[in-house]
């Protein structure tokens, strides 16, 4: 019995660790970009690293999940676009604005859960959608213009959030599949999409001819950190209620805002803070709604 509180503590610590690193990971990607490693290339190497070094540990789990190959592939592609688009977005845009658009994911989660899992859209679902959409409108509104993302980085952040929501719903559908199999799917998904991107933009590999050893060490180190984050997220989500997990994940916004202020001199205005508050509230309601749905399912 004493191991249960310990497991819960470790699960919470795992999610805090993942949220903290995700709030900071944009900075080493920018350092790599300054060293001549483009976003697609750095995305490939940092996700191929855990795939090659750690993927073999989960061969048995992948074999056990062979009846779910289609959904695991869908998870890989959705999570692959989430992570690759996030990397490209934080290289080009303001970190906090990108993350706020990313955290519109509760809006998309409600819609995906309705159409893929056939979950009913109740009042809480409508409230989440209205809050998330309203927060985006407030943040993006400019006089005389449509309240839409203004450049590619913001569109990438928005699309990353859409795919993040899709990957969460697919992961929920894959309940019972080993965490290792899901982790390998995520790494492989990013690597495959990045390979396609490199085929279209092969010049991004030119850095390899003259890259310093420090650049390679940063790529490998960042790849291992991402691998550890993937494990941490899978471990934590399997042991922490949804409403508590979403609160912990939102810590990423705090870390990113502080880091962006000190490392890149980025600041948010009043309008952005109001929109952020609405989006964060929607995320909190989304977590509570998912937790209530799980409780209802247990009593059916």
């Amino acid at each position: 019995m004493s191991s249960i509180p310990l497991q819960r503590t470790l699960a919470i610590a795992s999610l805090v660790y993942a949220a903290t690193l995700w709030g900071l990971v944009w900075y080493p990607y920018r350092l790599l970009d300054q060293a001549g490693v483009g976003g697609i290339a750095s995305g490939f190497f940092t996700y191929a690293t855990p795939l090659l070094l750690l993927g073999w540990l989960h061969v048995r789990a992948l074999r056990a999940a062979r009846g779910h190959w289609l959904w695991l592939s869908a998870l890989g592609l959705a999570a692959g676009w989430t992570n690759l688009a996030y990397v490209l977005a934080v290289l080009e845009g303001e970190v906090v604005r990108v993350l706020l658009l990313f955290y519109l994911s509760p809006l998309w989660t409600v819609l995906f859960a309705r159409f893929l899992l056939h979950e009913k859209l109740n009042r809480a679902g409508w409230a989440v959608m209205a809050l998330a959409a309203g927060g985006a409108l407030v943040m993006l509104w400019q006089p005389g213009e449509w309240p839409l993302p203004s450049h590619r980085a913001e569109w990438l952040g928005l699309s990353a959030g859409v795919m993040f929501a899709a990957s969460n719903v697919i992961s929920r559908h894959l309940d019972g599949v080993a965490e290792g199999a899901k982790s390998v799917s995520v790494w492989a998904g990013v690597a495959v999409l990045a390979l396609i991107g490199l085929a279209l933009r092969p010049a991004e590999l030119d850095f390899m001819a003259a890259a310093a050893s420090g650049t390679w060490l940063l790529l490998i180190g960042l790849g291992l950190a991402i691998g550890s984050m993937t494990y941490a997220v899978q471990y934590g989500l399997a042991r922490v209620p949804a409403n508590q997990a979403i609160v912990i994940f939102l810590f990423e916004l705090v870390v990113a805002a502080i880091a962006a202020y000190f490392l890149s001199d980025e600041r948010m205005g009043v309008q952005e803070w109001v929109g952020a508050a609405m989006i964060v509230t929607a995320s909190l309601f989304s977590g509570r709604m998912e937790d209530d749905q799980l409780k209802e399912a247990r009593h059916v």
Side-chain angles (χ1 to χ4, degrees):
M1 295 293 290
S2 60
S3 65
I4 295 178
L6 177 59
Q7 285 185 2
R8 186 172 179 81
T9 300
L10 288 174
I12 293 172
S14 295
L15 293 179
V16 171
Y17 166 78
T20 302
L21 259 66
W22 270 118
L24 296 171
V25 76
W26 59 271
Y27 187 65
Y29 275 116
R30 286 192 176 180
L31 292 179
L32 286 167
D33 187 58
Q34 292 170 12
V37 188
I40 298 175
S42 61
F44 171 74
F45 283 104
T46 52
Y47 280 87
T49 296
L51 179 63
L52 294 175
L53 296 182
L54 303 172
W56 63 273
L57 296 172
H58 306 292
V59 172
R60 184 176 297 179
L62 288 168
R63 287 175 179 169
R66 58 182 176 272
H68 303 279
W69 280 114
L70 185 60
W71 282 107
L72 281 172
S73 298
L75 173 64
L77 291 175
W81 180 259
T82 297
N83 291 283
L84 189 58
Y86 172 82
V87 170
L88 295 173
V90 295
L91 289 179
E92 299 179 18
E94 295 182 19
V95 173
V96 178
R97 285 180 68 87
V98 166
L99 277 177
L100 287 174
L101 288 167
F102 177 87
Y103 272 102
L104 283 173
S105 55
L107 169 63
W108 318 120
T109 299
V110 169
L111 294 175
F112 283 130
R114 174 68 183 89
F115 292 106
L116 296 180
L117 301 179
H118 306 293
E119 294 180 359
K120 294 181 179 180
L121 190 62
N122 54 21
R123 291 181 180 178
W126 286 111
V128 166
M129 291 177 63
L131 268 174
L137 291 175
V138 169
M139 185 182 70
L140 297 171
W141 182 79
Q142 296 292 336
E145 297 180 7
W146 287 98
L148 295 172
S150 58
H151 49 76
R152 194 176 77 148
E154 293 184 354
W155 281 111
L156 284 168
L158 181 65
S159 70
V162 174
M163 289 296 101
F164 179 66
S167 65
N168 283 344
V169 173
I170 294 169
S171 184
R172 193 188 312 167
H173 180 77
L174 286 168
D175 185 35
V177 173
E179 297 161 14
K182 293 180 182 180
S183 296
V184 173
S185 296
V186 172
W187 301 331
V190 180
V192 168
L193 290 180
L195 272 177
I196 295 173
L198 290 173
L200 298 174
R201 299 178 63 178
E204 286 213 13
L205 293 175
D206 290 348
F207 81 94
M208 297 176 66
S213 58
T215 300
W216 287 110
L217 287 174
L218 183 56
L219 279 169
I220 295 172
L222 185 55
L224 292 174
I226 285 173
S228 70
M229 283 191 287
T230 309
Y231 282 136
V233 169
Q234 296 297 334
Y235 180 85
L237 288 179
R239 294 163 179 84
V240 174
N243 66 317
Q244 190 173 3
I246 194 66
V247 174
I248 296 171
F249 278 138
L250 288 172
F251 184 60
E252 175 187 346
L253 280 171
V254 178
V255 174
I258 295 173
Y261 179 84
F262 286 104
L263 296 176
S264 62
D265 200 30
E266 294 181 10
R267 292 172 173 81
M268 290 172 58
V270 174
Q271 184 175 330
E272 291 168 316
W273 279 113
V274 173
M278 296 174 70
I279 292 170
V280 168
T281 302
S283 294
L284 296 175
F285 275 141
S286 176
R288 172 62 64 181
M289 183 175 64
E290 290 181 12
D291 199 35
D292 290 342
Q293 288 173 339
L294 288 174
K295 291 178 181 177
E296 291 175 5
R298 291 191 187 105
H299 290 87
V300 173

